[in-house]
């Protein structure tokens, strides 16, 4: 095959032209030859790119000409006129200059131009008229002028930096001592404008005047304030030039305002104002103040409006807020006081004092005894609600409330315990229609909370036991479930020993029912079962309250029935002794009147009196007393219930409320009543003053036995003990309040009875006598 003609490859040099700088580039390609046919050889050539042998030279005057262009551009930006040159061309020019190591000169020249421009701006502010008058617009005009100057400066520096970006990112970045172009602009503005004493004073005064006007309720230009304060922050003079003075003026303003408003306003209005001020200052931080000012600013407001007046606020208004149950105002009080150091603590102290003072007025006044427990429950509900809603269930407030209740409720020993027992009795007694089972349970739970605060729980037990006995024996208990629920609450609160006797009373009642079933079967087998249906409750003496036996004259049929039951019972339980308690007896009597038949639910004493009128129509007080054998005062109350109450089965002659010696009583044949079965009030079941005193005395007697037992128990274990240690041990063991003098008397009593003896050398040391 014939050889292919030789081909020549040729690439001409490429020339790039930029801003008068020529960069010749040589790309050389070698010819490749190839042979055809059998003996032909082929070789390939590589493409080689080489650097310039010599660095291209800048054209003459290039640096001066390029800087002139850049200088003109900067001047145009500063004068806010259009730039003659393309921005990309200017950027490239900066890059070219930096490439030929004129960066230092370029930076210096740029700084000088910027500095001259900034220096020129100061003149307009020095010559600007500015007088500090409250109603003058001069300050506002000055602030707008300085703000415009700052905004223009920022805009100009952004444009200048965009042109000199290559310089900023190479030369400046590599020289840590040099500020960036933006920072250089800030530094120049700070040094030549804001650091000028007159300009700075006018600026800060103007800003503070605007803020003062806003605080006084005037509308101000917030965007202007935001811009100016942002300027101070950017220039890093915010803290020293503005914040210090701002906080000083704020301090003075609120110190004066706090003093004035504390005199002028009531507490709720004052606290509302404080809250409003705090919200306003918080809004200022968000809108235009620097975030770093928030903490000292809010602390200043809190200190001057709250911290300086904590005690005065509480003394002036807390009691009335609590008395009137002003929930929203109390909530605000708690929230504000929680912000101030020591605020919660002082609020706690006043809270405790209020509870003690208010509670004491309920407890110590004998005239309020009738409603004491209900008032205590209402008061407890009220403070619980305040703690939950206003005080955010703060544990400190809950614990102090409990301590305060315990303090005031025990200022009057024994009486609250007695009245709580009576209150429970009123709720558990039949006829209490005001509460459903759920409401009754809730009331009992509330009662138990008050019960916990009482020290002398044995007084409560004594009266509760006496009232429980009445409810069980007369069948006046509203609900067995409620009774047992109360018993379980007491057991949970005070332990099994506290309720063992009360549980024994319930057990006796249940056993009595079983005994009566057997007795009725026994009576059916008798030849003469009799006309009276007898029911007997057998009570274990140790469980029940102590009753004074009263000998009365029962009629023959009653005496016969008593003997029958005695024979029946002792036949089953040998070795036991029965003692009849006539004061607790009651009966249902059938009577005939002109209007028809009636039934009376009466006590045993009323029964004995009424049965006399089967033998005659008129009897004197003395005759009735002799025939029945009822004790004088008891008989007078019994006759009062029959002749002076609502259901007057007897007529008293002469008429009157009280039964006197010589009074005569006549059977009322004309008696009328809308009911068939009439319950005549059992006055003898009502508690007398003597009974109250005797119950209390029994409690004190029991306490003496407990003190004696505790002393002997401690001495038996320790053998020898000092007086103070013995008293301390006793206080730990005894569950009721006791005075040191009472303990000393019991110790002396035990020494006299040879349970213990004094040390011969040390009279304050005791030894146990085995």
């Amino acid at each position: 095959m014939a050889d292919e003609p030789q081909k020549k490859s040729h690439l001409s040099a490429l020339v790039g032209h930029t801003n008068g700088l020529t960069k010749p580039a040589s790309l050389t390609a070698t010819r490749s030859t190839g042979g055809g046919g059998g003996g032909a050889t082929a070789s390939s050539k590589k493409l080689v790119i080489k650097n310039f042998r010599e660095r291209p030279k800048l054209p003459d005057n290039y640096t001066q000409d390029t800087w002139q262009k850049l200088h003109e551009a900067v001047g145009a930006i500063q004068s806010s006129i259009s730039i003659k040159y393309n921005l990309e061309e200017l950027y490239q020019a900066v890059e070219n200059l930096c490439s030929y190591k004129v960066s230092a000169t370029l930076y210096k020249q740029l700084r000088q131009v910027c500095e001259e421009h900034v220096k020129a701006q100061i003149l307009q502010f020095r010559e600007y008229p500015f007088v500090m008058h409250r109603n003058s617009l001069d300050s506002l005009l000055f602030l707008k002028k300085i703000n415009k100057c700052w905004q223009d400066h920022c805009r100009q520096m952004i444009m200048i930096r965009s042109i000199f970006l290559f310089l900023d990112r190479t030369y400046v970045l590599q020289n840590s001592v040099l500020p960036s172009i933006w920072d250089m602009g800030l530094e120049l503005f700070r040094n030549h404008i804001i650091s000028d004493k007159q300009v700075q004073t006018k600026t800060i005064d103007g800003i503070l005047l605007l803020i003062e006007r806003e605080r006084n309720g005037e509308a101000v230009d917030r965007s202007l304030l935001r811009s100016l304060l942002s300027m101070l922050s950017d220039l890093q003079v915010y803290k020293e030039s503005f914040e210090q003075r701002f906080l000083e003026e704020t301090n003075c303003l609120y110190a004066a305002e706090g003093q004035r408003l504390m005199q002028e306003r009531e507490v709720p209005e004052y606290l509302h104002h404080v809250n409003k001020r705090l919200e306003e200052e918080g809004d200022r931080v968000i809108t235009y103040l620097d975030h770093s000012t928030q903490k000292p600013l809010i602390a200043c407001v809190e200190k001057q409006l709250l911290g300086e007046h904590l005690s005065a606020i509480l003394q002036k208004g807390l009691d009335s807020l609590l008395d009137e149950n002003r929930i929203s105002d109390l909530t605000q009080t708690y929230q504000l006081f929680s912000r101030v150091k020591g605020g919660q603590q002082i609020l706690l102290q006043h809270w405790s004092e209020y509870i003690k003072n208010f509670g004491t007025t309920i407890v110590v006044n004998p005239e309020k005894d009738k409603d004491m427990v209900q008032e205590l429950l209402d008061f407890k509900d009220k403070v619980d609600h305040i703690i939950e809603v206003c005080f955010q269930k703060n544990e400190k407030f809950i614990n102090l409330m409990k301590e305060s209740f315990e303090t005031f409720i025990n200022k009057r020993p024994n009486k609250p315990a007695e009245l709580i027992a009576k209150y429970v009795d009123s709720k558990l007694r039949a006829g209490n229609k005001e509460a459903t089972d759920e409401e009754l349970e809730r009331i009992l739970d509330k009662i138990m909370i008050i019960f916990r605060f009482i020290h002398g729980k044995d007084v409560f037990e004594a009266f509760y036991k006496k009232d429980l006995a009445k409810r069980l024996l007369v069948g006046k208990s509203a609900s067995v479930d409620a009774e047992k629920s109360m018993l379980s609450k007491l057991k949970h609160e005070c332990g099994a020993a506290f309720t063992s006797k009360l549980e024994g009373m319930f057990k006796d009642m249940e056993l009595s029912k079983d005994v009566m079933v057997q007795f009725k079967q026994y009576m059916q087998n008798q030849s003469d079962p009799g006309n009276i249906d007898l029911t007997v409750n057998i009570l274990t003496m140790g469980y029940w309250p102590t009753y004074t036996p009263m000998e009365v004259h029962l009629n023959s049929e009653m005496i016969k029935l008593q003997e029958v039951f005695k024979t029946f019972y002792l036949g089953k339980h040998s070795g036991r002794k029965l003692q009849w308690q006539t004061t607790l007896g009651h009966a249902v009597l059938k009577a005939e009147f002109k209007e028809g038949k009636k039934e009376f639910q009466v006590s045993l004493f009323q029964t004995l009196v009424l049965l006399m009128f089967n033998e005659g129509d008129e009897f004197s007080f003395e005759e009735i007393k002799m025939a029945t054998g009822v004790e004088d005062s008891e008989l007078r109350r019994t006759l009062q219930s029959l002749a002076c109450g609502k259901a007057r089965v007897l007529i008293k002659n002469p008429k009157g409320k009280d039964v006197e010696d010589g009074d005569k009583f006549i059977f009322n044949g004309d008696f009328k009543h809308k009911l068939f079965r009439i319950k005549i009030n059992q006055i003898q079941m009502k508690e007398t003053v003597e009974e109250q005193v005797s119950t209390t005395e029994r409690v004190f007697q029991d306490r003496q036995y407990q003190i004696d037992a505790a002393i002997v128990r401690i001495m038996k274990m320790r053998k020898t003990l000092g007086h103070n240690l013995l008293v301390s041990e006793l206080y730990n063991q005894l569950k009721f309040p006791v005075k040191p003098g009472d303990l000393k008397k019991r110790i002396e009593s035990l020494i006299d009875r040879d349970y213990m003896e004094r040390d011969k050398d040390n009279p304050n040391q005791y030894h146990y006598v085995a």
Side-chain angles (χ1 to χ4, degrees):
M1 187 183 276
D3 288 341
E4 192 176 331
Q6 191 179 39
K7 287 186 178 178
K8 191 174 180 180
S9 176
H10 175 84
L11 287 174
S12 62
L14 299 174
V15 178
H17 182 272
T18 312
N19 285 319
L21 177 63
T22 304
K23 291 184 179 178
S26 174
L27 297 175
T28 307
T30 57
R31 179 168 53 86
S32 70
T33 56
T41 60
S43 65
S44 60
K45 297 290 183 179
K46 293 181 181 177
L47 183 68
V48 179
I49 299 173
K50 295 181 179 179
N51 289 330
F52 294 126
R53 288 182 181 177
E54 291 183 13
R55 186 181 180 85
K57 290 183 179 179
L58 289 173
D60 295 340
N61 299 324
Y62 177 79
T63 305
Q64 288 83 353
D65 294 344
T66 306
W67 167 243
Q68 190 58 39
K69 284 183 183 180
L70 292 169
H71 190 190
E72 285 177 26
V74 170
I77 290 169
Q78 290 172 339
S79 304
S80 299
I81 58 175
S82 59
I83 306 168
K84 288 193 290 183
Y85 307 101
N86 183 294
L87 289 177
E88 188 179 350
E89 187 181 333
L90 294 170
Y91 179 90
Q92 190 64 55
V94 172
E95 187 179 339
N96 290 340
L97 289 175
C98 291
S99 300
Y100 282 86
K101 298 186 178 179
V102 288
S103 301
T105 309
L106 185 61
Y107 183 82
K108 191 175 179 183
Q109 287 172 321
L110 177 63
R111 181 183 175 94
Q112 190 176 352
V113 171
C114 291
E115 189 166 13
E116 286 169 0
H117 175 73
V118 172
K119 277 182 179 179
Q121 302 301 311
I122 193 70
L123 298 172
Q124 62 177 323
F125 300 116
R126 283 183 176 162
E127 295 166 0
Y128 197 88
F130 179 65
V131 185
M132 277 290 289
H133 293 309
R134 292 290 170 192
N135 299 318
S136 172
L137 291 173
D138 291 345
S139 63
L140 185 60
L141 294 173
F142 178 85
L143 291 178
K144 286 183 176 177
K145 190 86 173 173
I146 197 91
N147 185 52
K148 184 176 184 307
C149 178
W150 166 248
Q151 297 294 342
D152 289 347
H153 177 76
C154 290
R155 181 176 48 76
Q156 291 161 14
M157 291 310 298
I158 289 167
M159 285 285 288
I160 291 168
R161 181 178 178 270
S162 68
I163 293 170
F164 289 85
L165 189 62
F166 192 83
L167 175 71
D168 203 31
R169 288 185 174 173
T170 54
Y171 173 71
V172 176
L173 202 62
Q174 290 159 11
N175 288 268
S176 58
V177 292
L178 293 176
S180 68
I181 292 172
W182 174 257
D183 288 343
M184 176 193 74
L186 294 180
E187 184 184 305
L188 294 173
F189 198 91
R190 178 171 63 245
N191 292 343
H192 298 293
I193 295 182
I194 286 300
S195 291
D196 182 89
K197 194 169 183 183
Q198 191 178 355
V199 172
Q200 189 178 109
T201 304
K202 287 180 181 180
T203 306
I204 302 304
D205 286 349
I207 292 171
L208 291 172
L209 181 59
L210 275 187
I211 294 173
E212 185 184 339
R213 285 178 177 172
E214 188 183 44
R215 282 172 170 164
N216 291 334
E218 295 179 39
V220 298
D221 187 348
R222 292 184 133 204
S223 61
L224 176 62
L225 282 169
R226 181 167 57 247
S227 178
L228 289 169
L229 290 168
S230 175
M231 172 189 79
L232 296 178
S233 290
D234 290 345
L235 297 174
Q236 296 179 343
V237 294
Y238 177 89
K239 282 203 176 294
E240 72 231 31
S241 66
F242 168 76
E243 188 178 83
Q244 192 175 349
R245 274 193 62 194
F246 170 68
L247 291 175
E248 285 171 4
E249 293 204 3
T250 303
N251 208 50
C252 294
L253 169 74
Y254 287 126
E257 185 173 276
Q259 293 289 347
R260 177 170 55 82
L261 294 182
M262 271 302 293
Q263 302 297 323
E264 294 175 3
R265 299 193 180 184
E266 292 300 315
V267 166
E269 289 76 23
Y270 181 79
L271 292 175
H272 180 71
H273 175 79
V274 174
N275 206 45
K276 181 165 161 276
R277 282 302 202 192
L278 285 165
E279 286 174 1
E280 286 173 2
E281 297 302 336
D283 182 52
R284 272 186 197 99
V285 173
I286 294 167
T287 310
Y288 54 77
L289 292 172
D290 189 83
H291 186 71
S292 64
T293 309
Q294 181 175 15
K295 199 170 181 180
L297 173 61
I298 298 301
C300 172
V301 181
E302 289 171 350
K303 180 176 183 292
Q304 295 302 340
L305 294 185
L306 282 173
E308 297 291 329
H309 308 286
L310 291 175
S311 293
I313 291 168
L314 296 177
Q315 286 167 4
K316 186 176 179 182
L318 182 65
D319 285 6
S320 61
L321 293 183
L322 290 167
D323 286 339
E324 295 164 24
N325 207 26
R326 294 172 69 165
I327 298 298
S328 61
D329 292 329
L330 287 166
T331 305
Q332 190 172 65
T333 304
Y334 175 79
Q335 288 170 348
L336 290 173
F337 273 63
S338 297
R339 299 176 71 135
V340 186
K341 186 179 179 182
Q344 263 197 23
Q345 194 56 42
I346 197 165
L347 181 58
L348 273 168
Q349 291 167 8
H350 281 77
W351 165 249
S352 174
E353 286 304 312
Y354 173 80
I355 293 174
K356 287 175 190 172
N357 293 337
F358 191 91
T360 302
T361 60
I362 298 173
V363 170
V364 300
N365 187 357
E367 293 176 7
K368 286 192 172 184
D369 283 359
K370 186 180 177 185
D371 302 316
M372 181 200 288
V373 180
Q374 189 57 53
E375 284 190 28
L376 285 173
L377 291 172
D378 293 343
F379 183 48
K380 180 68 171 56
D381 284 345
K382 176 181 168 179
V383 297
D384 282 347
H385 183 65
I386 289 169
I387 287 172
E388 184 175 351
V389 177
C390 308
F391 298 161
Q392 299 173 4
K393 300 180 184 176
N394 188 315
E395 282 294 325
K396 291 179 181 176
F397 283 83
I398 294 171
N399 294 334
L400 197 61
M401 176 270 290
K402 291 177 180 176
E403 289 174 21
S404 303
F405 259 83
E406 191 173 340
T407 301
F408 79 71
I409 211 166
N410 291 295
K411 280 189 176 178
R412 188 179 175 195
N414 307 321
K415 196 65 181 178
E418 175 191 332
L419 293 173
I420 289 170
K422 297 256 172 286
Y423 185 85
V424 174
D425 177 55
S426 71
K427 295 300 176 188
L428 293 177
R429 204 185 303 147
N432 174 32
K433 297 174 183 176
E434 62 191 61
T436 61
D437 289 346
E438 292 80 12
E439 287 169 349
L440 184 57
E441 187 69 17
R442 199 166 61 250
I443 289 168
L444 294 180
D445 284 335
K446 288 180 179 178
I447 285 284
M448 289 308 298
I449 293 169
I450 301 292
F451 171 74
R452 284 187 195 116
F453 300 133
I454 291 171
H455 289 161
K457 291 182 171 60
D458 50 349
V459 175
F460 171 88
E461 182 197 12
F463 282 95
Y464 182 80
K465 184 162 78 170
K466 189 160 64 64
D467 293 331
L468 174 62
K470 288 180 185 178
R471 294 196 298 276
L472 293 177
L473 295 174
V474 189
K476 290 176 76 176
S477 184
S479 160
V480 175
D481 290 340
E483 293 281 8
K484 291 193 172 176
S485 170
M486 184 64 189
L487 205 59
S488 69
K489 292 180 200 300
L490 289 169
K491 189 172 184 177
H492 180 263
E493 188 66 35
C494 304
F498 186 85
T499 55
S500 60
K501 291 181 179 179
L502 303 176
E503 289 171 336
M505 292 163 71
F506 280 95
K507 193 174 179 183
D508 279 352
M509 295 304 292
E510 289 167 8
L511 290 173
S512 295
K513 286 178 186 175
D514 296 338
V515 170
M516 289 321 298
V517 170
Q518 295 170 13
F519 179 64
K520 282 181 180 174
Q521 291 173 351
Y522 175 80
M523 287 300 289
Q524 286 171 2
N525 298 328
Q526 298 293 309
S527 56
D528 182 15
N531 298 322
I532 300 174
D533 186 7
L534 176 68
T535 303
V536 181
N537 289 315
I538 301 99
L539 315 179
T540 307
M541 287 186 77
Y543 295 157
W544 295 76
T546 306
Y547 299 106
T548 307
M550 189 185 292
E551 291 295 328
V552 294
H553 303 152
L554 301 176
N555 64 26
S556 57
E557 202 166 349
M558 288 181 181
I559 293 169
K560 182 184 172 186
L561 262 176
Q562 273 188 343
E563 290 302 320
V564 171
F565 180 80
K566 190 174 178 182
T567 305
F568 158 76
Y569 186 77
L570 295 179
K572 286 184 170 290
H573 305 280
S574 59
R576 293 188 183 180
K577 183 184 176 184
L578 288 176
Q579 184 183 62
W580 296 91
Q581 292 291 350
T582 53
T583 53
L584 302 175
H586 56 95
V588 175
L589 290 179
K590 293 179 180 178
E592 289 188 19
F593 298 96
K594 290 178 183 176
E595 194 187 50
K597 292 182 178 181
K598 298 283 181 187
E599 286 187 1
F600 293 114
Q601 197 173 334
V602 286
S603 71
L604 180 61
F605 297 156
Q606 291 169 326
T607 303
L608 296 177
V609 171
L610 290 174
L611 287 176
M612 283 183 66
F613 288 89
N614 285 336
E615 311 300 326
D617 290 336
E618 183 178 328
F619 295 98
S620 68
F621 173 76
E622 289 74 17
E623 288 170 337
I624 295 171
K625 184 177 178 182
M626 187 173 289
T628 60
V630 178
E631 184 264 329
D632 188 277
S633 60
E634 195 67 59
L635 180 60
R636 289 178 195 273
R637 284 199 296 274
T638 302
L639 288 168
Q640 244 180 332
S641 67
L642 295 170
C644 307
K646 289 181 181 178
R648 300 190 178 186
V649 187
L650 304 178
I651 298 169
K652 187 172 88 73
N653 190 13
K655 291 182 178 179
K657 287 185 179 179
D658 297 322
V659 175
E660 306 293 346
D661 292 346
D663 284 356
K664 294 190 182 297
F665 295 88
I666 305 160
F667 179 71
N668 182 10
D670 297 324
F671 176 80
K672 291 181 180 179
H673 203 283
K674 61 182 179 180
L675 299 176
F676 173 70
R677 176 173 280 195
I678 303 135
K679 182 180 179 183
I680 299 177
N681 286 338
Q682 301 170 25
I683 291 177
Q684 92 280 2
M685 288 299 286
K686 286 188 178 178
E687 188 174 61
T688 62
V689 176
E690 292 85 354
E691 282 180 311
Q692 283 185 11
V693 171
S694 68
T695 304
T696 308
E697 283 178 353
R698 278 200 302 276
V699 171
F700 291 151
Q701 191 64 52
D702 287 345
R703 284 184 180 180
Q704 288 188 347
Y705 296 148
Q706 288 182 54
I707 294 169
D708 288 356
I711 293 170
V712 171
R713 194 163 54 244
I714 293 165
M715 291 305 300
K716 190 173 183 180
M717 185 171 65
R718 296 293 187 88
K719 305 301 181 190
T720 300
L721 204 60
H723 177 79
N724 291 338
L725 284 172
L726 176 58
V727 169
S728 176
E729 281 280 347
L730 286 168
Y731 276 125
N732 290 334
Q733 289 196 17
L734 297 172
K735 294 179 180 178
F736 49 82
V738 61
K739 295 173 184 174
D742 294 334
L743 293 180
K744 196 171 181 183
K745 285 178 186 175
R746 299 320 306 158
I747 292 169
E748 295 293 344
S749 171
L750 289 170
I751 290 171
D752 292 343
R753 286 180 281 161
D754 294 333
Y755 282 94
M756 53 198 284
E757 63 184 9
R758 288 186 193 277
D759 189 271
K760 291 173 184 177
D761 300 323
N762 184 358
N764 281 330
Q765 193 89 358
Y766 304 117
H767 301 290
Y768 177 65
V769 178

